[in-house]
Amino acid sequence: MMVALIFGVFVLVLLIGCPIAIALLLGGIVPIMALTDIPLGIVVQRLFSSANSYSMMAVPFFILAGNLMDTGGVSKRLVNLARSLVGWLPGGLAVVSFLACAFFGAISGSAPATVAAIGSIMIPSMKEDGYPMPFILATIASGGWLGVIVPPSIPMVLYCISVGSVAITDVFLGGFIPGFLLAGGMSVYAVLWGRKHMRHATRKFSIKEVGRSFVDALWALGMPIIILGGIYLGIFTPTEAAVVAVAYGLLVSTLIYHQLSLKGLMQIIRRTVITTNICMFIVLSSTVFAAIMTREQIPVIVGNAIMSVASNRLMFYLLVTLLLLFVGTFMETIPAIMILAPILTPMLGAYGINPVSFGVIMVITLGIGMLTPPVGINLYTAVSLCGEKVERVINRHLFAYIGCALVVLALLIGFEGIIMFLPNLLR
């Protein structure tokens, strides 16, 4: 009865159009009120205790750092660097988009922010070179997804917080190679399509242009080096690294690139506060929902069900991947991680799976949901940049990119060492 009420209320509230945070909160509160004698004050205590987390402070600061670097002229310089490196390939501007998104993802930690920052530059450029709009939109939406895979990544931070026993630094390092592998995998389709349709748009490679654009983007590229280098060398914690990133972004945007005014700074802070409040409301509501599920031993039930079917590591990954793909289609990445990570990670030891590599796989798999309706936040962000309807971005190019991503995902599942190479090397 309790389980039915938990999920029944959650689904019903979602169906009537309420935000995901409200659905999670009511999914936890209504069963408590209806079927237990637990005082509602416990819910309030749970919300405050969950918010009172040192690691959680990294989230708003990484959001602010990404907004500073976006407005401060960083995205344009990263696009220029990517264009000089790979713009000569067939379908080169699509490859430029993926590489620029990977670079910007190493700054922002947010997929929608990456779509907006890179898309606002690349969409006009690709239109000018004659790329068809369905291809452009699919490329920008897919590229923006790299923003949550290449560290620093907000979903990775929240995965580590929800699990509690995984170092944020290790998951960050584990995401680097997969992020660029995914960019490369999707670039393969872009190049093959470009050879057939966009030969006229190919540019010449120039080593001088590479050098000039690299020097221009050097300050932008310094942020992920400072963040991860400082964390690994023990100079500061991940939360302190986020504060350092804000200070660095403010310095670069104002004193070096001279593209941030006081008025612009106020707008950035306002946007950061709004984004942080939305994110934190979802996260805290998820903890209430997860607490009532834990009380009813739902994680144990789900774990026993999966382990009764999955006889080996690959079977476990197959079931979990299908589950995450399904959930990611209907739920945003952050609440999905906060709910599912505590359920799934206790089973990893039985299959010899490292929680660091699983965290990267989980973020990647749920991130695919950013490219699929009805939630697909990247789709809506991409079309909002050019006034198109969302139907224009749901096309064969988008599904081709998703197919390339699934191939890379299968490779990462089959060879865990790819993810663990940097964490093991720098440990």
Side-chain angles (χ1 to χ4, degrees), residues 192-263:
L192 293 175
W193 181 88
R195 287 183 61 185
K196 185 176 181 181
H197 299 281
M198 300 299 298
R199 283 184 175 274
H200 65 280
T202 303
R203 301 158 186 258
K204 291 185 178 180
F205 177 79
S206 169
I207 190 67
K208 290 184 179 179
E209 185 183 352
V210 172
R212 186 167 53 249
S213 59
F214 177 77
V215 171
D216 194 32
L218 201 55
W219 286 100
L221 296 172
M223 182 181 279
I225 296 174
I226 290 173
I227 292 172
L228 291 175
I231 294 173
Y232 175 72
L233 293 174
I235 300 173
F236 37 68
T237 66
T239 301
E240 293 166 344
V243 179
V244 171
V246 170
Y248 183 85
L250 192 60
L251 173 69
V252 170
S253 301
T254 54
L255 300 183
I256 297 174
Y257 291 156
H258 304 288
Q259 291 191 232
L260 183 63
S261 63
L262 181 59
K263 181 181 179 181

Side-chain angles (χ1 to χ4, degrees), residues 29 32-33 36-49 288:
I29 290 177
I32 291 175
M33 294 176 59
T36 73
D37 56 358
I38 299 174
L40 284 182
I42 297 295
V43 174
V44 179
Q45 291 177 9
R46 179 77 185 190
L47 290 171
F48 275 95
S49 63
V288 175

Side-chain angles (χ1 to χ4, degrees), residues 136-214:
I136 294 173
L137 292 173
T139 299
I140 297 302
S142 302
W145 166 54
L146 300 172
V148 298
I149 300 166
V150 179
S153 162
I154 293 170
M156 287 181 180
V157 172
L158 295 175
Y159 168 80
C160 295
I161 291 172
S162 65
V163 173
S165 59
V166 181
I168 296 175
T169 310
D170 287 344
V171 181
F172 275 3
L173 290 172
F176 251 114
I177 294 176
F180 283 93
L181 278 178
L182 287 163
M186 293 187 292
S187 295
V188 170
Y189 171 77
V191 169
L192 293 175
W193 181 88
R195 287 183 61 185
K196 185 176 181 181
H197 299 281
M198 300 299 298
R199 283 184 175 274
H200 65 280
T202 303
R203 301 158 186 258
K204 291 185 178 180
F205 177 79
S206 169
I207 190 67
K208 290 184 179 179
E209 185 183 352
V210 172
R212 186 167 53 249
S213 59
F214 177 77

Side-chain angles (χ1 to χ4, degrees), residues 3 128 130 138 172 190 240 261 264 267 289 298 376 397 408-409 411:
V3 173
E128 184 179 340
F172 275 3
E240 293 166 344
S261 63
Q267 292 174 343
F289 191 78
I298 294 175
H397 304 298
V408 175
L409 180 63
L411 177 68

Side-chain angles (χ1 to χ4, degrees), residues 63 270-283:
I63 293 173
R270 180 178 180 274
R271 190 164 71 243
T272 300
V273 169
I274 293 172
T275 304
T276 300
N277 285 341
I278 294 171
C279 178
M280 291 299 289
F281 189 21
I282 293 173
V283 170

